[in-house]
Every structure is written in C-alpha cells, then in structure tokens.
Amino acid sequence: MKKELIGVYTIWLRDIKRYFRDRPRIIASFAQPILFLFVLGTGIASSFSTFGGGSGGDFLNFMFPGIVGMTVLFTSFFSAMSIVWDREFGFLKEVLVAPISRTSIVVGKLLGGSTIAMIQGAIILLFSPLLKIPITFVIFFKIIGIMFLVAMTIATLGIVLASVIKSMQAFQVITNFLLMPMFFLSGALFPLNNTVRWMNIVAKINPLSYGIDSMRFAMLNNPAFQLYPLWLDIVVLASVTVVMSILGSFLFSRQD
Amino acid sequence: MGIEKYMNDINANNIIEVKNLVKEFKGLRAVDDITFSVKENEIFGFLGPNGAGKTTTINIICTLLSKTSGEVTLGGYNVARERNKIRNCIGMVFQDPSLDDRLTALENLYFHGLLYNIPRSALKERSEEVLKMVNLSSRKNNLVMTYSGGMKRRLEIARGLLHYPKILFLDEPTLGLDPQTRNKIWDYIIKLKKSKNITIFLTSHYMEETEICDRIAIIDEGKIIALDSPDNLKNTIGGDIITILSEENVKLKKYIKEITGSDVHDAKEGEIRFEIKDSSSFIPKFIKNSPVKILSISARKPTLNDVFLDLTGREIREENASARDNLRMRMMRRMRH
C-alpha cells in the first residue's frame, strides 16, 4: 500500500515539476483568459446598449467565474491527456513496467492535473480586484475546493479519452469537437436559463455546466445567475468523477 | 572464470521459462508457439530481422503485453498473475527512448528510484554509482533533452540497473546509433556482465553484436529456428564459406557439386557460394583443376548471418540499409500504438 502511495506521489510530482519548469506555459496560460475577459467580455458587455438590453454592467462579473472555469477545464484536461504525449515519447513505458498498479498511475495523473489546474485557476483569481469582486479568505477556500472538484471531473474525462485514443492526431479532433462545445455550452460565457431548448438540454448533460454553476455560486452568490442548487452541482460533479475514474482505470489497465 | 564457476553456470537454474508462447494481433501470429529458457547469469540473445517477434516476446515477458496462449515464468513468477513481482526484478532498456527529456539525468533516476521503492537514503549513492558506470557523472544535472542518442541510451542502461534487477532486458540497445557509439555501448554491457551477477537478455538484428552472447535464439517469422551458443551455431555450417565469380556459373556449379558433394547457391552480384572444410588446401587444387575460368575467389569463416541464410534462405537485413529501415520501422510502430 505504501508503495502504491509513493507511486501516486511520484506520478504527481513529475507533473508538478514539469509544470513549474515550463515558464513559457505559465505565462502563456494568462493570455487566453485575459483575452476572453477583457477583450471579448468588455466588447459584449458594451454591445448590450446597442441591442437595447441595458448597460451590461454585471456581465463581466457574470463571466469571471466562467473564465476561471475555462482555465481549469483546459489545464486539467490537457494535463490528463499528456498520457498520450508520454506514450508517443516513450516515457509511459517506463511507468508501465514499474512495480506499481495501473490505478496508482491514473490517480497520480488525476491529482497532478488537478493540482496544476487549481494553481492556474488561482492565478486567474488575481484579476478579481479589477472587476471589484470581493474574494475573502473563506470565499477563496470555497473556490479552491470547487476548482479542485471540477478539475478532477474534467481530468477523469481526459484519462478515459487518453486510454482510448492512441495518437496525437486525434488530439486536435477532440479539442475541436469535444472541448470547445463543452466550454461554449457550459454557461461560462452566457446564461443558459434563457437560451433555446436544445442548448438547455445539452447543458444539462454537460458536467462542466455544473462546475461553472458552482463556481459562480462561490464567487458571486447571485441567485439570478444560478441554474441548479449547489448540492446538485456537487453531487453531479462527484458522481461523474467517481464513475469516470473507475472507467478510466479500467480502460487504462487493459493490455493489448 | 574458474572451472567451478563454469560448472555452476551450466547447472544454473533457468530464470526465464517460456513454453508454447503464442501472441496473435488481429489474425497475425507475431509469436508462433515458441519454447525456450534463459539461464541465470547468462547473456541470452534474440537474433532476427525486424518484425520477427523479438520485441513482442520481450514485451510479454516484461508484463507489458498479454499473451494469447502459453506459459511464461520469470524468477518463478507467472507473468499473467504476478506482474508486480516480475516488474520488481527486471530492468528494461526499450527499443525507443523512454526517458523524460524535460528532466535532468539525476531527476530521471530519482523518479525511477521512487517508483521502485528504493530507500531514499540509498538512492543518491546508487544514482552516482550507475551514472559513473556509464560515464555520465559530469552531465548528471543537464536536461536529458541536451543529450546525444548514445548518451540517452547509456542513461537508460544506468536507469535500468538502478534498482539492482536480476535480469536486464536490452531491446536493440544500439539501434539508430553510429558504429562508434555502438561499440561503446557493447563495452558497457560486457563490463556490466563482468562486474555484476546479472542475467542479460538482449535482442539485435546486427549479427556481429550478438556474438557476445552465451546463447542465441535465432528467430524468424515468430518462430525460433535455432538455439545454441554462437560457436555451435556457426559450426552447423559445413566449414568455411567460399564465394566465386566465374565466367560460366552453371557449369562450375555442376563441377563443384561433383567434387565436393555440397550444395552450391547463387549469391549476390552473379557470384556463387558454397561451404567447404579446410578451404586453404582446397582452393589451390580447385583453381588448378577448374573447367571454367575463375575471376575471383574468396574464403572466410562463417558468421551468424550465414547461419541465418542457411536456415531461412535469406539474409538478415544488411547494415547499410538499416538507417532507412529503422526509420520505417519506427514509423510503423508509431502508427500501431
């Protein structure tokens, strides 16, 4: 048992070490959220008056948790998918032939990806004073907890996919056909309660929409923005995580 | 090596036992009912062309791949049921690099040590020891990305030894390296064999490289077609290899068959070849009495390539072609994963 825990720790530590060594990646990870929040967000907010919908003053506030969610989504998903990368460049074999179970590898990878996603998300939180969103200590820790849960959920999806697809080429396809739709239909950029019916249905089966919802709850606590009660968000995220991690361990452990 | 040690080696237990192993990939029989065993502390080699089933067999023995049928045990442990026990006692050097090149050499070893549960107090010392053995001590804090192909391979050998395995697997350890670096790698392997009690299981498609083995299994199209020491294998060839370039091959072939009784084959570039015992006394007589004008004649000791040629009727890949072939093989492997 102790051996397996050390195994989990090793896999986790490698991901963390690689993350902090990759300075360009850390800096680049600021670019996308800033672009979304301050260019797209400000643009859309100011267009409300053009289309006769009031001042749009709360829009940036509404969008902020969505952008944090976006950061968590992409970071944890790609961290988990780095298994595909490791397979391509050979390192995965070193891990697979080591005397630790496949489950420990999966858990280590999940925790590594989630930790990095949490760090990235926390960095985005630094922008909250600019939007005048008060983040107290209590709120901060609530958000950290929720970010971790959301990151785990997404990372388990990444593990499942990484166990099924075996080539780098499929990577791009998944980004375009799964990750982007997941993001757009998560309520991160616009409220889902007033959209067309099909969008609403898709959002209901999209685990990320529960993640964004709970993050919005922790940051803003504005009932007008909430889709579901918090307990439901957490139950859905936790269940998806459990089911997907079992599935992911199973798929990853399969031998050819 | 004293006679006692030698006797011990002969009687040593089998550390790997493979019985009737079969592996099928979607109808293709990559490994076709092979049976062999590897003795403790020997250097055992798999020799055969690319795609013969060498790597597949190794991957099954080292628990990376499931078998279709058959029995495989390593150190008494069953590969299907006692995977972690097997993983604990083997060191691997894979055909393709498996280092994390964003980490330093020392970090790669550190992570390996953690995975194999080496006590942290011993880990540092052991890392230094193996790095010293492969002459990488001075580069230990450099990122692996800055290493040359040969250095990476040496680091992998070092890493494979870090947890003191009973068996070290070397799958094409010199693939893609230049001849000079290849020689160096073999020097390390021979040094390793002399300094440690370790069984080495290697594969290669370079004939001359497998000559350091105590025993060799020649493998082709998923089957073992011969298994013996390199000398015994070469002795199966009936003496020296003679190649002749003449003006009239057909007539000459008939003549040679008549006087020697041995089969004569066509070789490359219009030459013919056959085997004869005691070539040094045969050649002068032969040239004098030959009914056909001889343009050139040469004699040499048989190599493992000749053994392979003798058994299969074709050559193991020529070295010259290997750079391009290796690239192709690697691409094929990529696509398969």
Side-chain angles (χ1 to χ4, degrees), chain A residues 14 18 21 94 255-256, chain B residues 63 66 88 100 107 112 117:
Chain A
R14 170 175 174 257
R18 281 176 65 113
R21 188 156 292 171
E94 151 78 357
Q255 274 187 325
D256 288 315
Chain B
T63 76
S66 66
N88 250 324
D100 186 335
E107 285 168 338
H112 185 87
N117 208 12

Side-chain angles (χ1 to χ4, degrees), chain A residues 4-247:
Chain A
E4 297 294 339
L5 286 177
I6 294 175
V8 170
Y9 166 73
T10 312
I11 305 292
W12 174 85
L13 185 64
R14 170 175 174 257
D15 273 4
I16 302 298
K17 211 163 199 146
R18 281 176 65 113
Y19 170 71
F20 280 111
R21 188 156 292 171
D22 199 355
R23 298 253 159 74
R25 178 177 162 197
I26 301 178
I27 294 164
S29 63
F30 282 107
Q32 208 187 13
I34 290 175
L35 201 65
F36 267 85
L37 200 56
F38 294 107
V39 180
L40 185 71
T42 310
I44 292 176
S46 48
S47 72
F48 283 119
S49 55
T50 313
F51 300 110
S55 71
D58 280 346
F59 183 69
L60 281 184
N61 277 9
F62 169 85
M63 200 175 160
F64 186 63
I67 297 305
V68 176
M70 175 183 87
T71 308
V72 171
L73 167 74
F74 282 98
T75 314
S76 61
F77 188 80
F78 286 129
S79 294
M81 287 287 280
S82 66
I83 286 184
V84 177
W85 196 265
D86 284 341
R87 188 181 283 124
E88 188 81 1
F89 289 97
F91 185 78
L92 189 64
K93 273 194 174 168
E94 151 78 357
V95 179
L96 289 179
V97 83
I100 59 167
S101 71
R102 300 291 188 256
T103 309
S104 298
I105 299 173
V106 168
V107 173
K109 215 62 197 168
L110 284 176
L111 292 176
S114 305
T115 309
I116 294 168
M118 217 166 61
I119 296 169
Q120 292 273 73
I123 291 173
I124 306 302
L125 285 181
L126 292 175
F127 291 107
S128 64
L130 289 177
L131 300 168
K132 301 198 175 59
I133 297 172
I135 305 242
T136 62
F137 258 115
V138 180
I139 295 177
F140 180 76
F141 283 109
K142 265 192 206 163
I143 298 172
I144 287 286
I146 288 171
M147 279 199 300
F148 189 73
L149 181 59
V150 176
M152 285 290 275
T153 312
I154 302 301
T156 54
L157 285 177
I159 298 279
V160 169
L161 285 167
S163 311
V164 179
I165 70 159
K166 308 249 152 154
S167 76
M168 299 290 288
Q169 286 88 338
F171 208 89
Q172 198 62 40
V173 178
I174 285 183
T175 309
N176 287 335
F177 287 91
L178 185 83
L179 223 49
M180 292 314 274
M182 248 176 100
F183 170 53
F184 285 135
L185 293 167
S186 68
L189 300 177
F190 48 84
L192 289 166
N193 29 14
N194 295 324
T195 50
V196 291
R197 211 178 123 73
W198 70 265
M199 262 196 196
N200 211 305
I201 294 167
V202 176
K204 275 208 170 71
I205 54 170
N206 179 0
L208 187 64
S209 70
Y210 298 87
I212 300 285
D213 198 54
S214 57
M215 228 173 285
R216 199 162 272 143
F217 174 85
M219 273 188 232
L220 307 172
N221 198 9
N222 181 344
F225 292 162
Q226 291 310 123
L227 278 178
Y228 321 105
L230 181 68
W231 67 264
L232 182 66
D233 290 335
I234 291 180
V235 167
V236 171
L237 290 171
S239 330
V240 173
T241 306
V242 170
V243 172
M244 286 294 170
S245 49
I246 292 169
L247 181 66

Side-chain angles (χ1 to χ4, degrees), chain B residues 128-141:
Chain B
E128 300 289 347
E129 175 200 329
V130 290
L131 283 170
K132 201 172 163 196
M133 191 194 146
V134 296
N135 280 350
L136 282 173
S137 298
S138 61
R139 298 287 304 268
K140 64 185 178 190
N141 289 316

Side-chain angles (χ1 to χ4, degrees), chain B residues 21 32 39 129 183 283 299 323 331:
Chain B
L21 178 67
D32 192 359
K39 293 176 191 154
E129 175 200 329
N183 287 339
I283 289 175
M331 285 172 72

